Amino acid sequence: MASNHPENLAVRVIGAPEGLPELKDFEVTVEPMPVPGEGEVLFRGIYMSLDPAMRRKMPYPVLAPGPLGATAKIGDLMIAGQVPPGRGYSGGMVGEVVESRHPDFKPGDLIHGGCYWQTYQVLHGRHLDKLPKGEAPLIAELGVLGQPGFVAYAGMELIGQVKPGETLVVSAAGGAIGMLAGQMGKIAGAKVVGVASGEKVDYVVRELGFDACIDRHKEPIGEALDRLCPEGIDVYFDNVGGEVQRAAFDRLRDFGRLVVCGMAGEYNAAESDHGPPLRPVLRKQLKIQGYVIYSYYDMYPEFRRRVLGWLKEGKVKYREQIVDGMANAPQGLIDLLSGANKGKMIVKLGPEPGEA
Amino acid sequence: MASNHPENLAVRVIGAPEGLPELKDFEVTVEPMPVPGEGEVLFRGIYMSLDPAMRRKMPYPVLAPGPLGATAKIGDLMIAGQVPPGRGYSGGMVGEVVESRHPDFKPGDLIHGGCYWQTYQVLHGRHLDKLPKGEAPLIAELGVLGQPGFVAYAGMELIGQVKPGETLVVSAAGGAIGMLAGQMGKIAGAKVVGVASGEKVDYVVRELGFDACIDRHKEPIGEALDRLCPEGIDVYFDNVGGEVQRAAFDRLRDFGRLVVCGMAGEYNAAESDHGPPLRPVLRKQLKIQGYVIYSYYDMYPEFRRRVLGWLKEGKVKYREQIVDGMANAPQGLIDLLSGANKGKMIVKLGPEPGEA
């Protein structure tokens, strides 16, 4: 795939799966090279993010505003299962400008935005953010410096607010969000217990410095939490919902916080009509709060400055699992939704500038 | 009952009722006049508060620290149902010092504290707060300026944070807490809808300026909320739990807040194992938070200053229902728990200083 003979691959969703999607639910097509109109930018995708929220069927666009402040129109980009017929799938992407008819962009600029699953595409400049060059590896812009990192940061800063000596429990601890949430807990001086599965259990302790990690397929979650958090939990950063959420809720201490960040474990199921009881919320003075990152983009500059600092000091680590090429994106998403990923799942669409 | 021939009446809890208490669950006794030891204060009760939380069986002392900062030992004063055998019942009281062996108090001083149900009693000075004279009617120190008012204020300031144009729903709207919570909503420029029963429904609209009030015995709560809050609810200030709580939760708008202040409607029932679902908490970015007032006593001076200002400006009204004498306190509590009260329930134990 040399950039002088580009092939423009796109992925569309053609099925409407009940549970885990399968390859037959996607279609890979070759599209003509798009031509930018007035105010628009043609760019080549380099990395594309895969996120559990892509499976979610709720009709709201988590990807709408770019993390650097560009505002896509709500409804322009929709999440899987809500993708209108004939429209492509969408996700976060970084890429390189090929041709620009927008004054803020020129060829060679690096961009970030919520984009369709298509290697070459055109979007209006107002839907794209220009990326600073050289601050961090380009791929990190979709992970620890991108939406997952920002989601973790905002939830911990706004709601979790973990203090030294407190106990933080993080579900989906080996995922792109949980990874940073847990490391932020360590930076804050808390005891951090992850909940994960597979090889990620070992990884978050050995590489990321979590104090412990529960393998949710090997031990009943309640027993494991009792064993590892005998004095209870101060902050539970929830990315899965369901049984893990309830077990953690039941063990919250006075003034405990439940950060409702995501409920990936429930996205394939019918919505439950009930949750944890509120009498303990009164008695133990708990806080349960949900948030969606597009409400907090004014925090992005602070987030970026602090995480770049932590990266420089070696206080935060991250890892990606790279899927090769747009045609493999559907399988990558299926792997991610099965929990088989090792770190942030990213599709590499083409070479970085200067890369062979 | 002249103060030179005082009779010292006390009430003890002798029954352990399952539901609503009855008169036979209480015993009224005549006690000898207590004598203060070193550091202690003998005082005569003038007004005594009756509160729904007195029925609660949870073993924590909501009355422990006095609102002006005195710190009773946790466990010294317990709530009904948890009163140790042979110990008196307890509640908030204002009174007049008769004899003092504590340097901060002298005869004639007015005091406020969490006290036993006994007309004359002795407590250590550190468990009592000295009341300023002449700032407000003495009886208001147990209502709008006392714990109920402070509970309303703290919940609205810390959690509710209602903004102009928002919709606030307050349950137990005619009670001592709901009354101020709703009026604070009006001061903040919100639309305020109460939920109450009996003659209180009319009172909170006519006298307190609520925009509307639902009679929870006359219309299904969900239909009434749909009718009066067609665009949903921004803040629900909950004092009852149960069905009203769920109906209000289901109608919370994006960024809605559920202030978990009390669950009086559930205190007679076994504790439910579930509450509202958390998927809407994520989707609508809701906050559910419980609080217990003794965690926030550092806010008391601010509360007192602001409420005194509102009273002076005529922006806040309140009313009490007065029960005559300690011997009638049990019936007063039963009436309160049945919802038959009209405003803050207060037992008058004896004359105010200077009163005939």
Side-chain angles (χ1 to χ4, degrees), chain A residues 182-183 186 190 192 203-212 317:
Chain A
Q183 291 181 91
K186 290 310 298 174
V192 178
Y203 169 76
V204 302
V205 174
R206 201 185 57 247
E207 296 294 326
L208 304 186
F210 284 37
D211 295 282
K317 297 178 182 177

Side-chain angles (χ1 to χ4, degrees), chain A residues 46-341:
Chain A
I46 301 172
Y47 294 111
M48 185 172 84
S49 175
L50 297 178
D51 302 280
M54 288 175 167
R55 180 64 187 87
R56 194 158 41 183
K57 292 182 175 181
M58 298 176 201
Y60 65 79
V62 292
L63 297 162
L68 295 171
T71 49
K73 273 175 299 192
I74 302 272
D76 270 354
L77 305 170
M78 301 296 280
I79 303 304
Q82 292 287 331
V83 178
R87 298 292 291 274
Y89 215 36
S90 64
M93 194 182 280
V94 295
E96 183 183 25
V97 174
V98 174
E99 187 184 343
S100 172
R101 297 190 60 191
H102 188 285
D104 295 347
F105 298 90
K106 61 179 195 303
D109 281 348
L110 298 177
I111 57 91
H112 177 285
C115 306
Y116 293 108
W117 282 25
Q118 191 163 305
T119 40
Y120 285 81
Q121 59 193 291
V122 150
L123 281 179
H124 196 282
R126 70 172 168 265
H127 296 174
L128 297 170
D129 294 301
K130 192 146 74 174
L131 278 176
K133 288 187 182 176
E135 286 192 347
L138 192 54
I139 198 169
E141 301 288 351
L142 290 180
V144 71
L145 285 171
Q147 182 158 305
F150 188 31
V151 166
Y153 182 85
M156 289 295 288
E157 285 287 305
L158 294 166
I159 307 168
Q161 299 177 338
V162 71
K163 294 182 226 6
E166 287 192 329
T167 296
L168 167 69
V169 171
V170 178
S171 60
I177 297 172
M179 212 179 270
L180 183 58
Q183 291 181 91
M184 283 182 68
K186 290 310 298 174
I187 290 168
K191 170 177 162 180
V192 178
V193 174
V195 182
S197 62
E199 65 85 48
K200 288 176 291 226
V201 174
D202 189 44
Y203 169 76
V204 302
V205 174
R206 201 185 57 247
E207 296 294 326
L208 304 186
F210 284 37
D211 295 282
C213 191
I214 295 164
D215 188 328
R216 64 190 180 85
H217 296 315
K218 289 204 176 148
E219 187 178 2
I221 182 68
E223 288 173 26
L225 289 172
D226 285 340
R227 181 170 57 79
L228 293 167
C229 311
E231 291 171 15
I233 299 167
D234 296 291
V235 178
Y236 172 53
F237 191 99
D238 187 25
N239 254 312
V240 300
E243 185 194 16
V244 180
Q245 178 191 78
R246 180 59 194 266
F249 171 85
D250 287 341
R251 287 159 181 83
L252 285 174
R253 303 176 64 182
D254 285 359
F255 299 101
R257 288 83 78 195
L258 198 169
V259 184
V260 186
C261 172
M263 299 199 186
E266 298 186 13
Y267 292 156
N268 288 331
E271 192 158 326
S272 170
D273 187 49
H274 61 262
L278 297 196
R279 278 283 280 280
V281 170
L282 174 59
R283 193 169 53 237
K284 298 198 279 185
Q285 310 197 57
L286 308 179
K287 178 158 76 174
I288 301 173
Q289 190 171 348
Y291 70 109
V292 176
I293 194 61
Y294 66 68
S295 302
Y296 297 101
Y297 277 107
D298 57 350
M299 288 181 73
Y300 185 82
E302 166 198 319
F303 152 74
R304 189 172 179 92
R305 189 183 68 244
R306 293 189 70 192
V307 174
L308 281 170
W310 290 330
L311 288 169
K312 200 172 292 179
E313 298 166 37
K315 288 185 180 168
V316 159
K317 297 178 182 177
Y318 61 97
R319 65 173 182 175
E320 302 92 9
Q321 177 172 347
I322 296 180
V323 173
D324 186 28
M326 181 63 86
N328 291 314
Q331 185 61 53
L333 181 61
I334 293 165
D335 289 347
L336 174 67
L337 293 170
S338 319
N341 62 305

Side-chain angles (χ1 to χ4, degrees), chain B residues 17-199:
Chain B
E18 283 292 314
L20 199 64
E22 299 171 52
L23 283 181
K24 68 175 171 57
D25 295 318
F26 301 89
E27 181 185 40
V28 182
T29 60
V30 179
E31 302 291 325
M33 186 62 58
V35 176
E38 185 56 35
E40 291 184 330
V41 174
L42 169 68
F43 61 92
R44 172 180 72 87
I46 300 171
Y47 294 111
M48 186 174 81
S49 175
L50 296 178
D51 301 282
M54 288 178 168
R55 181 63 187 85
R56 195 159 38 185
K57 292 182 175 178
M58 297 174 200
Y60 65 81
V62 295
L63 297 163
L68 295 171
T71 49
K73 274 176 299 195
I74 302 271
D76 269 355
L77 304 171
M78 302 295 280
I79 303 306
Q82 292 286 332
V83 178
R87 298 293 291 275
Y89 215 34
S90 65
M93 194 181 281
V94 295
E96 183 184 25
V97 173
V98 174
E99 186 185 343
S100 172
R101 296 189 60 188
H102 189 285
D104 295 349
F105 298 89
K106 62 179 191 305
D109 280 350
L110 297 176
I111 58 90
H112 177 286
C115 306
Y116 294 110
W117 282 25
Q118 190 164 305
T119 40
Y120 285 80
Q121 58 193 294
V122 150
L123 281 179
H124 196 283
R126 69 170 168 266
H127 296 174
L128 297 170
D129 294 302
K130 191 148 73 176
L131 278 176
K133 289 186 182 178
E135 286 191 351
L138 192 55
I139 198 168
E141 300 290 349
L142 289 179
V144 71
L145 284 171
Q147 182 159 306
F150 188 30
V151 166
Y153 182 85
M156 290 295 288
E157 285 289 305
L158 294 165
I159 307 167
Q161 300 178 338
V162 69
K163 295 181 217 23
E166 287 192 330
T167 296
L168 166 69
V169 172
V170 179
S171 60
I177 298 173
M179 213 179 269
L180 183 58
Q183 291 181 91
M184 284 182 67
K186 289 310 299 175
I187 290 169
K191 171 178 161 179
V192 178
V193 175
V195 182
S197 62
E199 64 84 47

